Amino acid sequence: MPGSPLAKPFESIDFRLLWSASLVSNLGGLVQAVGAGWMMATIAESADMVALVQSATTLPVMIFSLAAGALADNIDRRRIMLAAQSLMMFVSVVLALFALAGMMTPWLLLAFTFLIGCGTALHNPSWQASMGDIVPREDIPAAVTLNSMAFNLMRSVGPAIGGLIVAVAGAAMAFAFNAVSYIPLIIALMRWKHRRLPASLPREAFAHAISAGLRYVAMSPNLTRVIFRGFVFGLGAVAILALLPLVARDLVGGSAISYGLLLGSFGIGAIGGALSNTKIRETFNNETIARGAFVVFGLSALGLALSRQIWLSCLCLLPAGACWVLALSLLNVSVQLSTPRWVVGRALSIYQTATFGGMAAGSWLWGLAAETYGPTAALAASSAALVFGALIGLRFALPEFAKLNLDPLNQFKEPQLRLDLRARSGPIMIMVDYEIAQEDVPAFLAAMAERRRIRIRDGARQWALLRDLENPNIWTETYHVPTWVEYVRHNMRRTKADAEINERLLALHRGEGRPRVHRMIERQTVPMHDDMPIKQYPEVP
């Protein structure tokens, strides 16, 4: 609708093409999920093997998402997504061929499902981080909601189509349908002209990029709260999706078509949640929405556990689908709006690792509970776990969407050095001298506590604050970075939101001019032989 917040992202032709192609890809993935779930229910006798299909899908995201996030922040995201889609299409073709040949076993089905999950793990961080490349920052919440709607729009019809395909032509045809569904998105990605800004610094080493992402999240309290709640929600809410084949087969005595109808009801509810998302966010704060999603989803799981009629089970799944979208889109947007662009792929991947890790653990846990006590008891237990997750919000409330300006500050100018250093020269030690009056010490220490968090978050090591014993008004901030290029990278990560701390420190500084900065390179002293050369750094004239 014109004027609707959800209409803004569609003003971008790139978003329109990619979103439309993702509809087809999502449809294929859901048809494949129905085929895999129903095939496992027919070739395996134990309930835990059925639930492991969901684990095999989510476990790769938990394992590989962080590595994929590091790649998303350092390599062309379009190429990563093309590679991921091509991998999933190839695996789907082989899966269909094995199923057609009648060679499928439970563990082989889990292996193929795991490989498709690996492609999803590689694709997702780049896809979600690309929202900031495709649409303006103010349209990111709408774009994330539309992505959720795209998936759940297909979820409303995809499972029913999948159930029909499985019932008429068998699971192998569902796998073949999925293989073909990747083609439109691959074509759309090839047509997308992703314009990357030229890099002014060398690409981060892979292991260093991962540690930088972990460090940034660990030193960002708002992000850790969001990620923790994502894990708890995934752990409890996945019970419905993991046990739905058993609900269709055992609780309501249905067929593959019944399973598709149940999944479709979940998808219809999710579309309703996406359409009402904006209005709900305008009315309630983030924590209220999160608690409501936890509680209502738990009540839906309890209703599903007690139902023995297909129509009643479908009715219970409608609010569950709505709460699924409300909770996960809220958490996703919170991560994106609380993270600068240089690390957004890694932050999203850590969020996904926690959320999908909770789903993988929950799929195994609730599957084991269903095997031991039955699906009714397992769903009831998951309902209790979700209510407990709502109560966690009393202690770890979600933050409101960040209003901080996370654009680069771009005030750092690399100093002219009189030693001819290379990019990898180091270690580098930085000392910043402040002159602080005694009455300003409490305010200075408070500002320095925030400065320490920002420094470590952006890559500083061994941070310390020193006070001169002979001249107590002199305070020195010190920290280390491994190399000169890491020092430059550390300063270029400063955002406009961080400038407020720097302004507070400058206001407290009583010395002449700005605080003095000493940039030092460490040298090791070892016993030298007369014939050993001494390494010298040439002085720049």
Side-chain angles (χ1 to χ4, degrees):
M1 293 178 58
S4 167
L6 294 180
K8 294 292 291 182
F10 285 114
E11 295 177 1
S12 166
I13 187 172
D14 291 329
F15 184 84
R16 290 200 304 271
L17 289 174
L18 292 168
W19 187 86
S20 300
S22 70
L23 284 177
V24 181
S25 182
N26 289 332
L27 175 62
L30 289 163
V31 169
Q32 191 272 341
V34 172
W38 193 254
M39 173 171 276
M40 185 63 80
T42 56
I43 65 176
E45 297 181 356
S46 61
D48 57 339
M49 289 298 292
V50 176
L52 280 177
V53 174
Q54 186 70 27
S55 292
T57 303
T58 56
L59 186 62
V61 179
M62 182 188 69
I63 298 175
F64 302 118
S65 187
L66 181 56
L71 293 175
D73 285 331
N74 287 279
I75 301 178
D76 187 350
R77 292 168 182 152
R78 185 180 70 94
R79 294 183 179 181
I80 294 174
M81 290 187 281
L82 280 170
Q85 293 296 314
S86 301
L87 169 65
M88 290 188 284
M89 184 173 68
F90 173 76
V91 173
S92 297
V93 169
V94 177
L95 172 60
L97 293 175
F98 268 76
L100 281 171
M103 301 170 58
M104 194 62 63
T105 66
W107 288 106
L108 192 58
L109 178 59
L110 288 178
F112 281 120
T113 306
F114 181 85
L115 289 174
I116 293 175
C118 290
T120 302
L122 180 62
H123 174 84
N124 281 351
S126 292
W127 170 243
Q128 296 190 27
S130 294
M131 291 302 101
D133 303 327
I134 300 172
V135 301
R137 175 181 171 84
E138 60 270 17
D139 294 336
I140 288 178
V144 171
T145 299
L146 286 168
N147 285 334
S148 297
M149 184 185 296
F151 180 79
N152 289 289
L153 183 64
M154 292 299 99
R155 178 177 265 163
S156 64
V157 296
I161 295 174
L164 183 62
I165 292 174
V166 171
V168 173
M173 191 57 63
F175 302 148
F177 184 93
N178 182 43
V180 175
S181 72
Y182 293 111
I183 296 176
L185 187 52
I186 291 175
I187 294 174
L189 287 169
M190 294 176 67
R191 294 186 60 182
W192 176 32
K193 304 302 182 183
H194 179 208
R195 295 181 296 274
R196 298 189 70 201
L197 296 176
S200 58
L201 293 174
R203 182 183 298 166
E204 287 185 272
F206 183 69
H208 186 272
I210 291 178
S211 64
L214 290 170
R215 180 177 56 246
Y216 187 93
V217 170
M219 298 304 295
S220 303
N222 286 346
L223 287 178
T224 55
R225 291 189 178 196
V226 172
I227 291 169
F228 175 65
R229 295 296 288 282
F231 170 80
V232 175
F233 185 80
L235 180 69
V238 78
I240 285 183
L241 295 178
L243 301 180
L244 210 53
L246 300 179
V247 172
R249 187 189 68 183
D250 300 338
L251 297 189
V252 300
S255 62
I257 295 178
S258 303
Y259 177 43
L261 289 173
L262 291 172
L263 276 175
S265 299
F266 189 92
I268 291 173
I271 294 173
L275 292 174
S276 60
N277 207 349
T278 302
K279 184 64 176 178
I280 290 175
R281 287 178 183 170
E282 292 174 352
T283 306
F284 303 101
N285 62 35
N286 288 351
E287 180 56 35
T288 300
I289 296 172
R291 290 183 198 172
F294 271 85
V295 171
V296 174
F297 201 103
L299 293 176
S300 297
L302 183 60
L304 191 65
L306 300 177
S307 172
R308 297 297 180 269
Q309 302 294 326
I310 183 69
W311 67 268
L312 182 58
S313 296
C314 289
L315 194 62
C316 291
L317 287 169
L318 293 175
C323 291
W324 179 272
V325 167
L326 287 173
L328 294 182
S329 65
L330 172 69
L331 297 173
N332 186 297
V333 172
S334 295
V335 172
Q336 293 220 37
L337 297 185
S338 301
T339 312
R341 298 301 303 164
W342 69 267
V343 75
V344 67
R346 281 163 281 186
L348 283 168
S349 69
I350 294 171
Y351 159 71
Q352 288 187 1
T353 298
T355 304
F356 281 83
M359 292 180 186
S363 296
W364 172 82
L365 176 65
W366 307 124
L368 185 62
E371 177 70 19
T372 306
Y373 304 105
T376 297
L379 287 168
S382 71
S383 175
L386 286 164
V387 173
F388 175 74
L391 296 176
I392 291 176
L394 298 175
R395 178 66 179 84
F396 300 103
L398 290 180
E400 293 304 303
F401 289 148
K403 301 298 184 183
L404 302 176
N405 188 342
L406 298 179
D407 293 334
L409 187 59
N410 290 331
Q411 289 186 354
F412 176 75
K413 295 181 179 179
E414 190 170 349
Q416 295 294 322
L417 305 178
R418 299 196 63 190
L419 292 180
D420 186 17
L421 296 186
R422 297 179 180 178
R424 295 190 174 276
S425 298
I428 305 296
M429 180 180 181
I430 309 299
M431 298 181 292
V432 186
D433 295 333
Y434 296 90
E435 184 174 340
I436 305 298
Q438 180 61 36
E439 61 270 18
D440 293 333
V441 168
F444 175 74
L445 294 177
M448 269 299 171
E450 182 65 12
R451 167 59 68 86
R452 172 187 178 275
R453 185 187 67 81
I454 293 172
R455 292 282 197 204
I456 297 175
R457 183 200 68 188
D458 291 347
R461 304 178 182 179
Q462 302 176 37
W463 187 95
L465 181 62
L466 311 175
R467 190 175 192 180
D468 194 317
L469 294 176
E470 297 179 358
N471 188 355
N473 286 346
I474 301 299
W475 296 75
T476 302
E477 176 195 12
T478 70
Y479 63 94
H480 292 71
V481 288
T483 62
W484 178 253
V485 72
E486 291 304 320
Y487 170 69
V488 176
R489 198 189 310 275
H490 167 82
N491 282 278
M492 293 183 68
R493 288 171 174 169
R494 200 79 47 81
T495 66
K496 293 180 179 179
D498 299 331
E500 187 266 339
I501 292 297
N502 192 54
E503 292 170 358
R504 284 167 55 187
L505 291 171
L506 289 177
L508 294 171
H509 176 60
R510 298 296 182 89
E512 296 182 3
R514 299 175 66 87
R516 184 179 179 186
V517 180
H518 308 268
R519 304 172 181 91
M520 319 288 287
I521 186 168
E522 292 186 5
R523 293 292 305 274
Q524 300 296 326
T525 57
V526 295
M528 303 291 292
H529 300 293
D530 293 340
D531 57 345
M532 289 182 65
I534 300 177
K535 182 178 180 180
Q536 297 285 349
Y537 291 99
E539 183 172 338
V540 178

